[in-house]
C-alpha cells in the first residue's frame, strides 16, 4: 500500500510500526459552530482510509480530537451569555449527528483538550527542563524554535526564510520572546476566560500542544499516521512535530497525510463572501451520503470545487453525485429483487465464470485504493461492477448469482462508507402526522408509543426537539 507522505513529498510503502496495527491521529474541529462542508472533507477522507485499513485486516486505533478551548469558542460564549463549556458541548453533540449522517464512524477515542490539561502541563514542564521552552515574565511559555535543528522539515521551510518573514511581521507585545519564531505553549488568562492553574500562571494551553499531548496519551510517543487538512501543515503540524520529538526524543508520526481544500464556486469558502455552507445546510437539501459520494469522487490531494448551481449537472456538482449514487442503489435494488423472486440453488457453470470475472473489479478497486487511496478510481471500479450486474443478472437469474454480486457490491461500497439502502424518502406531511400522533400518545400518557415514534422518525433521519414553542424537527 502506498501513501503520499507530506514529510518526504513522496508516495511511500506503508510499513506499520506494529504488524497488523495502525495508530492514527486526525486533527478534529474547533467546536464553536456547526461544522462546515470543508471540515467534512478530512472527516470523510480519513474515515475511508480507516475503513480500507480495516478491510485489509488491520486493527486501527483512530483518535480524533475536539478542540474545545479557543478564542472563537470564548467569543461565542460571551455573545450568547453562556459558558464556553456549554458552547463546546452543544457543538460536539451536533458534530456527532452530522458525522452519523455522513456515515463517518465515531473514532476509537474523541479526546477533548479541556480534559487533558494535566498532560499538557507535564509535557511543557519536560520541554522547559530539556531547554526547549522557557517561561516569560508574564507567565507565557514559549517553545524555543532555534533549539530544534529539524524545525521546518514537514512544511519544507528553512529557518532563515521564516525568520525574515517573521521579522517584518513582528507583532507588538510579543517582544518578550527570545526569537520571533518562538511559539506559545501556555498563555495567561484574560478576564472572564476559562483557565487552569499551572506552575507558570493561571492560564490555558496553546493549540499545538493539545494535539501532541492527546496523540501521546491515546496512541503512544510514536505513531503511524497523523492527518488533517493542508492548512494545518504550517504552523500546526510543524509545531506538533517540534514539541513531540523534542519532548520524547523519538520520531513522532511516520506518515503525514493532508487533504486539499474544498472551495465553493472556485473561491475560498468564507462567511464574508456569503458562500459558507454547513453540513446541516446540505443535509436539508440532500441525503448526506450524496455529500460523501461527492467528496470521494475526487482525489483527496486535489482541490475540490463545490458548485452552488444545483441545475448544473457537471461532473463536480452535487446533482451529478446524487444521480450516480442513485444508479448504484438501483443496481443493488435490482439484485435484491432477484434475491426475493429468483430460483434458489447453486451457481451454474456459466455463472461461476461470471462471478470470477466480477472479482476482477474488486482487484481494480484495491489497486486504486493501494495507490494512495485513489477513491475516484475505486468508485469507477464499483460502477463497472454495477454495470456488469445490470448486464448479466436478469429476472431469470438464480439467487446464488444475485447474492454473489450483491455481496461484492456491498463489501466495496461499505469500504467507502456508502450505504446501498436508500433512506426512505419521508415527506413533511408524514412527519407532521407522526408528530401529532406522538403528541396524542404523550397526552394519553402512552410514553412507550411516544418514544417509539421518536425512534421511527430518527431512523428516517428526522430529529425531534421539544422546545418551549412546541415540537420542532430537523433532518439529520
Ligand atoms: P478547524 O476547525 O478549522 O481546525 O478545521 C478542522 C479540520 O477541517 C482541519 O483538518 C482543517 O484542515 C479542515 N478544513 C477546514 N476548512 C477546510 C476546507 N475548506 N476544505 C478542506 N478541509 C478543511
Ligand atoms: Zn491538531
Amino acid at each position: 500500500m502506498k501513501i503520499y507522505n507530506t514529510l518526504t513529498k513522496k508516495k511511500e510503502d506503508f510499513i506499520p510500526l506494529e504488524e497488523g496495527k495502525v495508530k492514527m491521529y486526525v486533527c478534529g474541529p474547533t467546536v464553536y459552530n456547526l461544522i462546515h462542508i470543508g471540515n467534512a472533507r478530512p472527516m470523510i477522507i480519513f474515515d475511508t482510509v480507516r475503513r480500507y485499513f480495516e478491510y485489509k485486516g488491520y486493527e486501527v486505533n483512530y483518535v480524533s480530537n475536539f478542540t474545545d478551548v479557543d478564542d472563537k469558542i470564548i467569543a461565542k460564549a460571551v455573545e450568547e451569555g453562556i459558558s464556553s463549556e456549554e458552547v463546546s458541548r452543544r457543538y460536539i453533540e451536533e458534530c456527532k449527528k452530522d458525522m452519523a449522517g455522513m456515515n463517518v464512524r465515531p473514532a476509537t477515542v474523541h479526546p477533548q483538550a479541556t480534559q487533558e490539561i494535566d498532560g499538557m502541563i507535564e509535557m511543557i514542564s519536560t520541554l522547559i527542563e530539556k531547554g526547549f521552552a522557557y517561561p516569560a515574565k508574564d507567565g507565557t511559555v514559549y517553545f524555543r524554535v532555534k533549539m530544534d535543528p529539524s524545525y521546518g522539515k514537514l512544511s519544507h521551510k528553512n529557518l532563515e526564510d521564516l525568520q525574515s518573514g517573521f521579522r517584518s511581521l513582528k507583532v507588538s507585545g510579543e517582544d518578550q520572546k527570545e526569537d520571533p519564531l518562538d511559539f506559545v505553549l501556555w498563555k495567561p488568562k484574560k478576564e472572564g476566560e476559562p483557565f487552569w492553574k499551572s506552575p507558570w500562571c493561571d492560564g490555558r494551553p496553546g493549540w499545538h500542544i493539545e494535539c501532541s499531548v492527546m496523540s501521546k496519551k491515546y496512541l503512544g510517543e510514536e505513531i503511524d499516521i497523523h492527518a488533517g487538512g493542508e492548512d494545518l501543515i504550517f504552523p500546526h503540524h510543524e509545531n506538533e512535530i517540534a514539541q513531540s520529538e523534542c519532548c520524547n526524543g523519538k520520531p513522532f508520526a511516520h506518515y503525514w497525510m493532508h487533504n486539499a481544500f474544498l472551495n465553493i464556486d472556485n473561491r475560498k469558502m468564507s462567511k464574508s463572501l456569503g458562500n459558507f455552507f454547513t453540513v446541516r445546510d446540505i443535509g436539508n437539501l440532500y441525503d448526506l451520503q450524496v455529500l460523501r459520494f461527492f467528496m470521494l469522487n475526487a482525489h483527496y490531494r486535489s482541490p475540490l470545487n463545490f458548485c452552488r448551481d444545483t441545475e448544473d449537472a457537471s461532473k463536480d456538482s452535487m446533482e451529478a453525485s446524487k444521480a450516480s449514487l442513485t444508479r448504484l442503489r438501483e443496481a443493488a435494488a435490482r439484485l435484491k429483487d432477484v434475491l426475493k423472486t429468483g430460483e434458489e440453488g447453486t451457481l451454474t457453470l456459466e455463472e461461476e465464470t461470471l462471478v470470477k470475472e466480477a472479482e476482477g473489479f474488486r482487484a481494480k478497486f484495491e489497486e486504486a485504493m493501494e495507490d494512495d487511496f485513489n477513491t475516484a478510481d475505486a468508485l469507477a471500479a464499483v460502477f463497472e461492477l454495477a454495470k456488469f450486474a445490470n448486464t448479466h443478472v436478469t429476472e431469470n437469474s438464480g439467487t446464488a448469482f444475485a447474492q454473489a454480486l450483491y455481496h461484492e457490491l456491498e463489501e466495496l461500497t461499505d469500504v467507502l462508507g456508502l450505504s446501498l439502502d436508500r433512506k426512505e424518502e419521508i415527506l413533511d406531511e408524514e412527519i407532521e402526522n407522526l408528530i401529532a400522533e406522538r403528541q396524542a400518545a404523550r397526552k394519553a400518557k402512552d410514553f412507550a408509543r411516544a418514544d417509539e415514534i421518536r425512534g421511527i422518525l430518527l431512523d428516517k433521519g428526522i430529529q425531534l426537539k421539544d422546545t418551549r414553542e412546541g415540537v420542532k424537527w430537523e433532518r439529520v
Side-chain angles (χ1 to χ4, degrees):
M1 188 188 306
K2 291 215 181 298
I3 297 185
Y4 181 88
N5 190 350
T6 309
L7 200 57
T8 55
K9 289 182 152 180
K10 281 196 199 100
K11 278 188 200 169
E12 292 174 14
D13 279 323
F14 177 71
I15 303 165
L17 279 160
E18 205 179 319
E19 208 176 314
K21 295 195 173 163
V22 180
K23 293 180 202 156
M24 173 166 188
Y25 186 96
V26 181
C27 290
T30 307
V31 278
Y32 65 100
N33 208 338
L34 290 173
I35 57 163
H36 59 67
I37 54 175
N39 299 139
R41 194 170 190 197
M43 285 180 180
I44 290 170
I45 296 300
F46 298 116
D47 175 65
T48 307
V49 167
R50 171 196 193 175
R51 284 167 183 265
Y52 187 69
F53 274 121
E54 288 181 350
Y55 164 79
K56 294 294 283 184
Y58 286 95
E59 186 187 307
V60 184
N61 193 349
Y62 187 98
V63 177
S64 189
N65 66 298
F66 287 116
T67 296
D68 62 348
V69 55
D70 175 85
D71 288 344
K72 291 184 197 134
I73 300 175
I74 295 168
K76 180 91 169 185
V78 170
E79 188 189 310
E80 292 198 16
I82 55 177
S83 67
S84 296
E85 224 183 319
E86 270 174 87
V87 171
S88 55
R89 195 182 317 123
R90 181 201 302 160
Y91 290 113
I92 287 172
E93 220 174 276
E94 297 302 328
C95 177
K96 286 184 175 169
K97 285 185 208 160
D98 287 335
M99 285 168 62
M102 298 185 293
N103 222 2
V104 169
R105 286 169 38 205
T108 317
V109 195
H110 281 288
Q112 286 172 234
T114 57
Q115 311 298 313
E116 310 289 347
I117 303 289
D118 287 351
M120 295 178 206
I121 291 176
E122 201 181 307
M123 188 178 270
I124 297 170
S125 303
T126 307
L127 287 168
I128 295 175
E129 272 161 35
K130 291 190 170 183
F132 290 110
Y134 57 94
K137 259 200 233 107
D138 70 350
T140 309
V141 183
Y142 293 101
F143 186 90
R144 196 174 264 136
V145 169
K146 272 209 185 123
M147 278 288 288
D148 176 8
S150 61
Y151 191 83
K153 69 178 173 185
L154 180 71
S155 51
H156 306 281
K157 291 180 191 286
N158 81 42
L159 278 187
E160 266 147 42
D161 290 350
L162 279 172
Q163 255 155 351
S164 54
F166 266 82
R167 229 168 272 133
S168 54
L169 284 172
K170 198 158 190 313
V171 187
S172 62
E174 296 242 298
D175 40 13
Q176 50 173 356
K177 283 188 191 180
E178 288 177 2
D179 187 282
L181 283 182
D182 295 351
F183 60 87
V184 171
L185 300 174
W186 185 267
K187 55 186 160 196
K189 70 170 178 186
K190 291 198 198 116
E191 196 49 43
E193 287 185 356
F195 67 91
W196 291 264
K197 294 219 161 299
S198 83
W200 316 289
C201 63
D202 287 353
R204 61 186 166 104
W207 171 37
H208 316 303
I209 196 77
E210 298 174 5
C211 289
S212 282
V213 167
M214 293 187 274
S215 175
K216 178 173 174 169
K217 174 161 173 191
Y218 294 99
L219 296 170
E221 292 178 343
E222 212 170 339
I223 70 170
D224 293 297
I225 299 175
H226 195 115
E230 66 183 2
D231 58 320
L232 301 185
I233 297 173
F234 188 86
H236 186 53
H237 287 165
E238 193 70 66
N239 292 353
E240 277 190 49
I241 294 178
Q243 297 161 159
S244 295
E245 296 193 349
C246 292
C247 173
N248 305 328
K250 283 186 187 160
F252 179 26
H254 287 206
Y255 302 87
W256 287 84
M257 295 181 72
H258 294 98
N259 63 273
F261 255 41
L262 174 91
N263 296 316
I264 312 284
D265 301 331
N266 292 310
R267 298 175 79 181
K268 194 175 167 182
M269 176 164 62
S270 84
K271 283 204 173 128
S272 56
L273 288 174
N275 64 355
F276 184 91
F277 294 101
T278 62
V279 169
R280 206 58 63 82
D281 293 333
I282 302 306
N284 286 330
L285 300 171
Y286 294 96
D287 171 353
L288 285 176
Q289 286 272 297
V290 176
L291 184 66
R292 183 165 185 128
F293 185 101
F294 173 79
M295 300 273 187
L296 295 177
N297 208 15
H299 195 282
Y300 76 92
R301 284 189 291 112
S302 305
L304 176 57
N305 190 40
F306 182 96
C307 291
R308 244 187 308 182
D309 184 0
T310 51
E311 298 299 309
D312 174 7
S314 70
K315 192 179 147 283
D316 345 329
S317 77
M318 287 287 286
E319 283 300 301
S321 293
K322 184 178 169 184
S324 301
L325 184 61
T326 304
R327 265 196 289 141
L328 266 190
R329 286 174 166 172
E330 279 169 0
R334 268 190 81 233
L335 293 173
K336 271 201 158 164
D337 283 346
V338 177
L339 283 179
K340 276 188 223 137
T341 57
E343 216 168 288
E344 286 183 26
T346 51
L347 291 174
T348 63
L349 271 181
E350 191 196 346
E351 286 172 343
E352 246 176 58
T353 317
L354 286 169
V355 169
K356 283 252 149 54
E357 203 181 317
E359 281 163 7
F361 301 117
R362 180 190 287 263
K364 256 188 175 175
F365 175 93
E366 288 187 10
E367 197 186 317
M369 293 298 276
E370 300 273 318
D371 181 16
D372 191 30
F373 305 98
N374 190 334
T375 52
D377 283 1
L379 260 179
V382 172
F383 272 98
E384 283 185 60
L385 171 63
K387 200 168 152 207
F388 182 88
N390 282 341
T391 310
H392 295 286
V393 179
T394 66
E395 285 159 26
N396 303 322
S397 301
T399 56
F401 185 44
Q403 179 59 45
L405 293 186
Y406 187 82
H407 172 74
E408 287 293 299
L409 200 56
E410 192 179 36
E411 229 185 327
L412 301 188
T413 46
D414 190 50
V415 175
L416 300 175
L418 296 170
S419 77
L420 289 173
D421 289 322
R422 198 186 329 221
K423 252 196 217 158
E424 261 179 67
E425 282 289 329
I426 182 159
L427 303 172
D428 292 5
E429 196 187 323
E430 286 177 61
I431 300 168
E432 298 296 350
N433 289 344
L434 278 164
I435 292 175
E437 194 188 331
R438 175 171 170 265
Q439 293 300 78
R442 274 164 47 129
K443 219 170 168 188
K445 301 219 172 340
D446 184 357
F447 297 113
R449 175 65 186 152
D451 283 349
E452 192 184 4
I453 294 174
R454 177 187 275 278
I456 292 171
L457 284 168
L458 201 60
D459 284 347
K460 293 180 189 289
I462 304 298
Q463 169 99 28
L464 295 187
K465 261 197 195 142
D466 294 308
T467 71
R468 245 179 278 159
E469 294 84 42
V471 185
K472 297 243 162 76
W473 62 267
E474 62 185 13
R475 291 188 196 272
V476 290

